[in-house]
Amino acid sequence: MQLLALALYHQDNRQLPRVLRFRPGRLNILTGESETGKSGVLAIIDFCLGRTKPGLPDNPIDRTVGWYALLVEFQDGGRMVLARPRPAGETTNEAFVRSGDQSLSLPGAGELVANTNAAALRGEVSAHLGIEDFRFQPPAGTARYAFDVSVAQGALFCFQNQDEIAASKTLFHRQTEDGIAQAIKDTLPYFLGAAGPEQALRQHRLGEARREVRAAQRKLDTARRQREVLDTNGITLLRLAENEGLLSDVPAAPDADTVHELLRQALSVPPLAPINSDIGDRRQELNEERRTLRAQLQEFDAALATVDRWQRRSFDFTGELHLQVDRLKTLDLLGPEQDHDTGVCPMCTQRLEHRDPSVQDIVTLTNRLSEELEQAAGVQPVRQEHLRSLQAQRESLAERLKTNGVLLKELMASDEHLVRLQEQHLRAAHLQGRIAQSLAHDRGPTTDISQLRNALASAQDVVSILEEQTANDDIPAETERRLADIAALMTAWARRLKLGQSDEPNEAGISFNKLSLVIRRPEDRLPQERVGSNKNYVGYHLVAHLALHTYLRKHNRPVPSFLALDQPTQAFFPSKPRDASTHPDADWATVTEYFRLLHDVTKLNKGKLQIIVCDHANLPDDWFQAALIDNWRPDEAGTRNALIPPHWLS
């Protein structure tokens, strides 16, 4: 793929597009003063090839341009228009694509309407370039994602911006951006022809097979651990089953098959029926009877206490009455004194305020008391009989209460036995449940492990076959061999430009691991950053990319057939010269040799390589002037030419 034209369309569509035309298969030089937009050309080409972030300058492009378009031609003669609208923000995904034959040209401003996106644009360009349906698979264990190889990676070999072509440590376009260096390492073997979809597919299958081996090994190890756990648990369950009466005569050290069979026997034992008992009702009856007997016993104790109190009080009362009666009987000894006037004091013969009782009154009282004592003596036998009856009834209640206690104690002992028996039944049922669960996880003593062992062996066989196949690929060695062919061209051209460290027997090459230049000397290897001076940095960038593209074109590799360079002669001028073509102190002989090499390489590739250079230099040589595609310097009328036409800004 080579470039035919680059067009910028004004935002209002009223202006004619600004068109910059290129010559395929030749050296194309765009020269001019600084700040004319030369560096923007490379960024616009990169953007039109599908880059999401354009990295374009804000002014004056931001104020004027509405669309960018690129007309490209492929090796088979087909053409494509690749157009992108100026992004409103930092990025845009919109695109316009049109395909056709050699009659296809740039579209009119009114025809530019987004009809696809950047990803589809890259896909169509990749298909026309001949990039195969190749999905790069990162090595197993890395934290990277697979991606489809496309022109997005191929374009990284086609650009050298002003700050890249003079870099002291890096060699490729956008190499310092996140993920770009790794993308170059991942795809460079493919673009060199050292690896293709077949090798990538075998590498992918090998990675998948190795993952399957690891997975099969993990499953086998897990099964073995589970087998060990099941064997240990199985023996434990056998001992428990023996203790609970589900098994008998269990061997001391059974093997796995015996454990499995005995557990099934324990599981086949019919479950013990639940124990039904009326002990609870009987215990409640005895407790009710006990409460009743205790209440009755308390009533008899209260009655006996009452009788006892009556008895004691009666004894005390009758004893006092007997004593008083005995005292009163002495009145029977009185003679004439019985008739004494009780109203007169016998001592002083004075009248008493209250008359004393007469002897007859006292005798009457004594007789009545004697009668009452006789009556009390008659009641005593009845009371004794009642007391004996109460005591007998109490003793009967006490005996019944004692019997109740014995029955209740026996019932509680029987209940504890039934509870223990019930608990044993429950333990046996629970144990059978554990046995069933263990057997459910253990589908067979040895079958699963045997199957997993066979699966692991089968996966290992697949890995062995794929390793043997991929060993023949040896992509790293093949990549280094092709880089060695490129190094031969680099070394020859470095000596032509008389770059530092290019003397024999030193050899210049590309380090695949570091993606930088390396000088191989007999005593050591010199990295890129130590070759010294901007002249050498620029020179080695030139020879490296020229050699790389010459190799790609020789082997018809699917990389765009152009190399775009910005300011390759910057090392020979002071910083930001207004017009390097008029600078008297430049090493014009070396500058001429640099451009002459670019011219000769395009001739060497016989029209298969297009080189586009944006630079300040303007050499008078005929071959240089023939390569000019535009000169952005003031014309005879003083009008300053640039990427953005002056009248667009007015």
Side-chain angles (χ1 to χ4, degrees):
M1 181 187 79
Q2 298 189 14
L3 312 183
L4 297 180
L6 174 67
L8 280 65
Y9 293 82
H10 198 279
Q11 291 180 0
D12 59 13
N13 293 335
R14 291 179 294 178
Q15 304 286 348
L16 293 176
R18 173 70 163 97
V19 179
L20 183 64
R21 299 195 178 274
F22 305 103
R23 305 184 188 100
R26 296 176 56 184
L27 174 63
N28 295 257
I29 301 175
L30 173 61
T31 186
E33 296 180 348
S34 61
E35 299 181 356
T36 55
K38 297 188 301 299
S39 297
V41 172
L42 272 67
I44 294 172
I45 296 173
D46 197 3
F47 179 54
C48 288
L49 290 177
R51 186 177 176 184
T52 304
K53 293 185 178 181
L56 299 171
D58 291 337
N59 293 312
I61 293 178
D62 188 58
R63 299 197 305 266
T64 58
V65 178
W67 280 80
Y68 307 95
L70 190 65
L71 179 62
V72 301
E73 186 175 61
F74 295 92
Q75 189 174 359
D76 60 2
R79 292 185 179 185
M80 290 184 69
V81 174
L82 311 173
R84 305 289 303 285
R86 180 187 58 82
E90 293 184 358
T91 63
T92 181
N93 197 38
E94 295 181 334
F96 170 89
V97 175
R98 177 179 290 175
S99 301
D101 54 20
Q102 292 187 344
S103 64
L104 181 66
S105 61
L106 291 170
E111 301 177 63
L112 292 174
V113 178
N115 59 9
T116 186
N117 55 45
L121 181 150
R122 292 191 296 268
E124 291 195 38
V125 174
S126 300
H128 279 78
L129 281 172
I131 296 178
E132 299 161 286
D133 188 9
F134 177 22
R135 184 168 182 81
F136 176 80
Q137 296 288 344
T142 60
R144 293 150 51 200
Y145 296 99
F147 62 88
D148 294 321
V149 178
S150 69
V151 69
Q153 293 82 38
L156 297 174
F157 306 107
C158 299
F159 297 96
Q160 283 286 281
N161 291 333
Q162 182 177 353
D163 57 340
E164 295 170 341
I165 199 169
S168 61
K169 295 182 179 180
T170 58
L171 189 60
F172 295 99
H173 180 50
R174 298 173 57 196
Q175 184 176 336
T176 58
E177 298 180 18
D178 290 342
I180 298 299
Q182 189 60 55
I184 294 173
K185 287 183 180 181
D186 293 338
T187 57
L188 182 58
Y190 167 73
F191 287 118
L192 289 176
E198 297 82 6
Q199 291 89 343
L201 181 59
R202 283 194 288 270
Q203 288 287 345
H204 175 62
R205 288 176 176 173
L206 177 59
E208 292 292 329
R210 286 172 174 168
R211 280 192 287 271
E212 290 180 3
V213 167
R214 291 193 293 270
Q217 186 66 58
R218 285 194 299 269
K219 290 180 180 179
L220 179 58
D221 293 342
T222 301
R224 285 172 173 169
R225 288 193 298 269
Q226 290 177 348
R227 177 73 270 168
E228 294 174 358
V229 172
L230 287 172
D231 291 344
T232 302
N233 290 341
I235 293 176
T236 302
L237 292 174
L238 286 182
R239 301 306 174 198
L240 292 174
E242 186 178 22
N243 292 337
E244 298 300 335
L246 296 176
L247 292 173
S248 61
D249 300 329
V250 176
D255 56 25
D257 292 338
T258 303
V259 170
H260 193 268
E261 181 61 29
L262 289 175
L263 287 178
R264 290 197 173 276
Q265 291 180 14
L267 187 61
S268 65
V269 174
L272 298 174
I275 299 174
N276 295 322
S277 175
D278 58 353
I279 290 178
D281 296 338
R282 178 57 178 161
R283 183 169 53 213
Q284 184 175 0
E285 292 177 1
L286 290 175
N287 284 329
E288 291 292 338
E289 181 185 14
R290 188 172 186 82
R291 284 193 292 271
T292 302
L293 291 175
R294 283 181 174 176
Q296 293 176 357
L297 190 62
Q298 289 177 356
E299 291 177 359
F300 276 101
D301 285 341
L304 287 171
T306 301
V307 171
D308 184 62
R309 286 196 302 273
W310 289 348
Q311 190 77 354
R312 287 197 303 271
R313 290 178 181 176
S314 176
F315 286 156
D316 293 342
F317 178 70
T318 55
E320 182 66 26
L321 286 180
H322 281 293
L323 178 61
Q324 297 300 328
V325 169
D326 290 342
R327 288 179 178 176
L328 291 176
K329 284 183 177 181
T330 58
L331 296 176
D332 294 337
L333 300 177
L334 295 176
E337 295 84 358
Q338 295 181 358
D339 298 329
H340 176 71
D341 186 4
T342 59
V344 177
C345 175
M347 298 297 294
C348 64
T349 67
Q350 291 184 0
R351 300 296 298 181
L352 297 175
E353 183 179 359
H354 298 287
R355 180 183 291 274
D356 289 333
S358 64
V359 173
Q360 187 62 39
D361 293 335
I362 294 173
V363 171
T364 303
L365 176 61
T366 300
N367 293 334
R368 190 170 66 251
L369 290 175
S370 297
E371 292 175 359
E372 290 180 359
L373 286 173
E374 291 176 358
Q375 293 176 358
V379 173
Q380 186 65 24
V382 177
R383 185 178 299 144
Q384 288 294 334
E385 182 64 26
H386 179 61
L387 179 61
R388 286 192 295 270
S389 175
L390 290 176
Q391 290 175 341
Q393 293 181 49
R394 185 190 181 284
E395 290 176 359
S396 175
L397 286 175
E399 187 65 25
R400 289 176 60 189
L401 187 60
K402 182 179 180 180
T403 302
N404 177 275
V406 172
L407 293 175
L408 191 58
K409 185 176 181 180
E410 292 177 353
L411 186 63
M412 291 179 64
S414 177
D415 191 19
E416 290 178 359
H417 173 71
L418 292 176
V419 169
R420 288 194 297 270
L421 188 60
Q422 184 69 35
E423 290 176 350
Q424 181 183 0
H425 290 188
L426 292 175
R427 288 196 304 272
H430 178 67
L431 180 58
Q432 287 182 319
R434 290 177 58 187
I435 293 173
Q437 184 178 16
S438 176
L439 292 176
H441 287 84
D442 185 14
R443 292 171 292 179
T446 57
T447 303
D448 287 351
I449 293 180
S450 299
Q451 291 176 352
L452 292 174
R453 190 181 295 112
N454 293 336
L456 175 60
S458 176
Q460 290 172 336
D461 290 341
V462 173
V463 169
S464 298
I465 294 172
L466 291 174
E467 284 178 341
E468 184 177 353
Q469 293 176 351
T470 55
N472 297 328
D473 295 336
D474 199 0
I475 295 175
E478 187 65 22
T479 301
E480 291 296 338
R481 187 185 70 78
R482 294 170 189 256
L483 288 176
D485 293 343
I486 295 172
L489 289 174
M490 291 176 58
T491 301
W493 290 338
R495 290 170 183 168
R496 171 178 169 175
L497 297 180
K498 299 179 181 180
L499 300 177
Q501 303 293 333
S502 64
D503 297 338
E504 293 185 1
N506 297 343
E507 294 182 353
I510 297 175
S511 171
F512 178 67
N513 291 330
K514 294 184 178 181
L515 296 182
S516 63
L517 173 81
V518 62
I519 303 297
R520 297 180 177 89
R521 303 187 297 189
E523 66 276 12
D524 59 9
R525 292 190 175 195
L526 190 69
Q528 177 176 321
E529 61 265 26
R530 294 185 58 194
V531 298
S533 82
N534 283 347
K535 171 188 173 182
N536 287 328
Y537 294 145
V538 173
Y540 276 114
H541 274 76
L542 282 179
V543 298
H545 286 278
L546 290 174
L548 173 62
H549 276 272
T550 298
Y551 180 89
L552 295 174
R553 300 283 63 80
K554 180 180 179 181
H555 294 86
N556 294 319
R557 300 306 301 159
V559 176
S561 307
F562 70 88
L563 176 62
L565 308 171
D566 186 24
Q567 310 297 337
T569 64
Q570 58 184 284
F572 304 97
F573 307 115
S575 59
K576 295 184 179 180
R578 180 66 179 175
D579 187 355
S581 63
T582 61
H583 200 279
D585 297 330
D587 186 354
W588 288 108
T590 304
V591 170
T592 301
E593 188 60 29
Y594 275 32
F595 276 103
R596 188 72 190 184
L597 177 62
L598 296 174
H599 177 268
D600 292 347
V601 170
T602 58
K603 294 290 186 182
L604 176 66
N605 282 276
K606 299 178 180 180
K608 293 183 178 181
L609 177 63
Q610 179 185 42
I611 299 178
I612 300 171
V613 182
C614 299
D615 201 272
H616 297 289
N618 186 12
L619 302 179
D621 304 76
D622 293 340
W623 58 267
F624 187 96
Q625 293 298 314
L628 286 179
I629 57 174
D630 211 341
N631 187 343
W632 291 348
R633 291 181 173 85
D635 56 17
E636 296 178 357
T639 303
R640 186 169 181 258
N641 294 321
L643 179 63
I644 303 299
H647 65 276
W648 281 21
L649 303 176
S650 60

